[in-house]
Amino acid sequence: MGQFGIGQPMTRKEDQRFITGKGRYTDDIDLPGQAHGFVLRAPFAHADFTITDISAAQAAPGVLAVLTGADIAADGLGDIPCRVPIKNRDGSGSVMPPYPLLAQGTVRHGGDAVAFIVAETVEQAQDAAELIEVDYKDLPAIADTGGAMAPGAAQVWPQAKNNVCFDWEMGNGALAEENAAKAHHITRVRLVNNRLVVNSMEARVALGTYDADNDSYELYTTSQGSHTLRGLLAENIFKVAPEKIRVVTPDVGGGFGMKLFLYREHGLVMYAARKVGRPVRWVSSRSEGFVSDTQGRDHVTDAALAMDKDGNFLALQVHITANLGAYLSNYATFVPTMAGSNMYQGLYKTPAVHVHVHGVFTNTVPVDAYRGAGRPEAAYLVERLVDKAAREIGLSPDEIRRRNFIPPEAMPYSTALGDVYDSGEFTAHMEKAMGNADWAGIDARKAEARKRGKLRGIGMSTYVEACGGGSDETARVTVNEDGTATVLIGTQSNGQGHETAYAQIVSEHLGLPLEQITVKQGDTAEIATGRGTGGSRSVPVGGAALDGASAQLKEKAQKLAAHLLEAAEADIEYDDAVFTIAGTD
């Protein structure tokens, strides 16, 4: 392993430009003649509305365009799609309502987009927005996740009876019910996994252009995958060939899932650029992000853990009411269902697990993937339930786990939810952690803390995650004439240090120092394909692709070296970025 190889400790390659102010984020990009956009947002959670007059706004100083839902419909722009239709338990499909770039006739959450104003400055656009006359007719609203399906609850979409988007399940419900019926004890919990508002260091930004001569678009935006956005914009919004759209994502200041998705403002700045003949920029304010960025979690969960008289788990039954918000974001239906439901097995040999999920609409901001996307919710529930079960039946937290962990001799182990665990010594790991934490000495530490007027506690939880998978990824490595290397890869760093990690993989194979390796991401014009970053997949999947590409490049170079040196390929050695004939200089 070389000095710069995989896993070697070093200063991150990208940090020098970040800490010296030389990063290039979307808001650093200024295009000649650019105008500024502002979104007029609804002050009601649910209301029918009519835009009665835009003439004053159109005539306001600096205003170039006032765009409404009627314009969007007239020009045939499509809706933001949900990419994961869910099958209900009865085999029917989920309810997939429209998600237009601007609301048309009804607003369904506070901050819903009503109009897009384009002006010479953002201040002029904001002033003009106040001149738009909108007649709102307030409607009943529902924001409570647990009450969304209750009789008499306000209906978000008429086609979604009782606000149900889908009714989905995983596991063997009949077996879980049968095992629960013969249980000696059942522990129950009801948990609220509260909604989270994402607040990334860099707010969302979008800058769109349109080339009338070539009927093509460009979008500069902060994202977690420019290729994904290009595909959605081409297929679903503008209905053009993908090569008609270029999406560029430069440096990104945090995302954690929220920047994966196609947002209204992406399409709006591109559409507005076409209408006014100039680039159009939109920058989210912090308060605007609270009502326009996708949010996370928001589940109400009821669960029951059935045990025999010795505390051995017999069945786990989970029912989740998952809030999807007013509209379906790109992966909204996937997150509370397939994203993490297999993790309700945990590390335990529970023979029957049944997960039942109702996805519901409410008059709130759309919910989608955020920081683990369904997996932390599962671990949180399982470990809370196991701890409560231990208290109820008089076992210690470690003993109940010791009795129910999948033992090493059972590996490979097929779980009740269809996964195979290939290895694991869970009891040994737990006991090592307890030793490191001085679990046995906690009583003395509690007593000492109490003397100082303090309270001290200790707890444990276990976690196994299904991540790092998903779609394939592509990577390309080129060695240039000056001996440097260039990496093109379809993932997108959001601050995780991809440039360093990827450069180390290339260095491992080619022996080049990191400063001679350039990593490029985010430009669909330069990088042919890509799947983006999400689900902890960049190094496991993107890195694996890059590892393969680097190995293939080295193999190809060795063949060329053998030819140029007029030697057998087997006699060629490679060290310190130099090919030599074995035994010679």
Side-chain angles (χ1 to χ4, degrees), residues 410-424:
M411 303 294 181
Y413 182 85
S414 296
T415 74
L417 294 174
D419 290 312
V420 177
Y421 291 4
D422 62 0
S423 60

Side-chain angles (χ1 to χ4, degrees), residues 26-27 39 41 99 198-207 220-223 252-255 258-267 281-286 288-294 365:
T26 305
D27 199 36
V39 180
R41 301 189 181 278
Y99 190 180
V198 186
N199 204 1
S200 57
M201 184 178 294
E202 176 202 24
R204 286 194 301 114
V205 183
L207 174 59
Y220 298 84
T221 190
T222 175
S223 84
V252 179
M258 177 269 286
K259 290 180 181 170
L260 268 172
F261 317 119
L262 176 64
Y263 286 94
R264 285 169 151 166
E265 296 82 11
H266 292 138
R281 167 198 293 272
W282 170 84
V283 181
S284 175
S285 68
R286 283 295 173 197
E288 193 173 17
F290 272 63
V291 294
S292 65
D293 298 350
T294 57
V365 176

Side-chain angles (χ1 to χ4, degrees), residues 17 22 26 76 85 95 145 187 200 212 223 226 237 297 359 374 534 556:
R17 74 172 190 275
K22 296 178 182 177
T26 305
V95 178
T145 304
T187 293
S200 57
S223 84
S226 52
I237 304 299
R297 316 285 192 246
K556 182 177 180 179

Side-chain angles (χ1 to χ4, degrees), residues 19-203:
I19 64 175
T20 56
K22 296 178 182 177
R24 183 173 182 262
Y25 297 86
T26 305
D27 199 36
D28 294 322
I29 299 171
D30 290 308
L31 298 181
Q34 67 187 9
H36 297 265
F38 178 77
V39 180
L40 175 63
R41 301 189 181 278
F44 293 92
H46 198 195
D48 290 333
F49 75 96
T50 303
I51 297 177
T52 57
D53 191 2
I54 61 173
S55 58
Q58 289 173 318
V63 171
L64 303 173
V66 177
L67 304 174
T68 68
D71 297 308
I72 298 293
D75 285 337
L77 272 65
D79 296 332
I80 293 173
C82 178
R83 304 187 75 187
V84 189
I86 294 291
K87 286 290 186 184
N88 293 319
R89 294 196 296 165
D90 63 5
S92 61
S94 50
V95 178
M96 309 282 276
Y99 190 180
L101 295 184
L102 291 170
Q104 298 171 14
T106 303
V107 291
R108 290 182 164 85
H109 68 84
D112 207 346
V114 173
F116 191 63
I117 304 91
V118 183
E120 296 290 350
T121 69
V122 68
E123 291 81 8
Q124 289 173 330
Q126 287 176 304
D127 290 343
E130 296 184 9
L131 301 176
I132 298 175
E133 295 184 11
V134 186
D135 181 19
Y136 289 101
K137 181 182 178 183
D138 196 11
L139 297 172
I142 177 70
D144 173 35
T145 304
M149 295 187 292
Q155 296 296 289
V156 181
W157 293 97
Q159 63 268 47
K161 184 179 179 182
N162 298 323
N163 291 315
V164 175
C165 173
F166 60 79
D167 177 7
W168 178 91
E169 67 178 348
M170 174 185 274
N172 190 329
L175 180 60
E177 191 67 37
E178 179 184 330
N179 284 8
K182 57 189 179 186
H184 178 75
H185 181 81
I186 296 179
T187 293
R188 304 179 189 277
V189 296
R190 180 178 177 88
L191 298 180
V192 174
N193 212 313
N194 60 281
R195 178 177 288 239
L196 299 173
V197 175
V198 186
N199 204 1
S200 57
M201 184 178 294
E202 176 202 24

Side-chain angles (χ1 to χ4, degrees), residues 427-442 445 456 458-460:
T427 297
H429 277 88
M430 177 183 69
E431 290 175 349
K432 183 174 182 179
M434 291 171 69
N436 290 343
D438 187 20
W439 185 275
I442 185 61
R445 298 201 303 281
R456 182 187 292 274
I458 195 168
M460 68 167 64

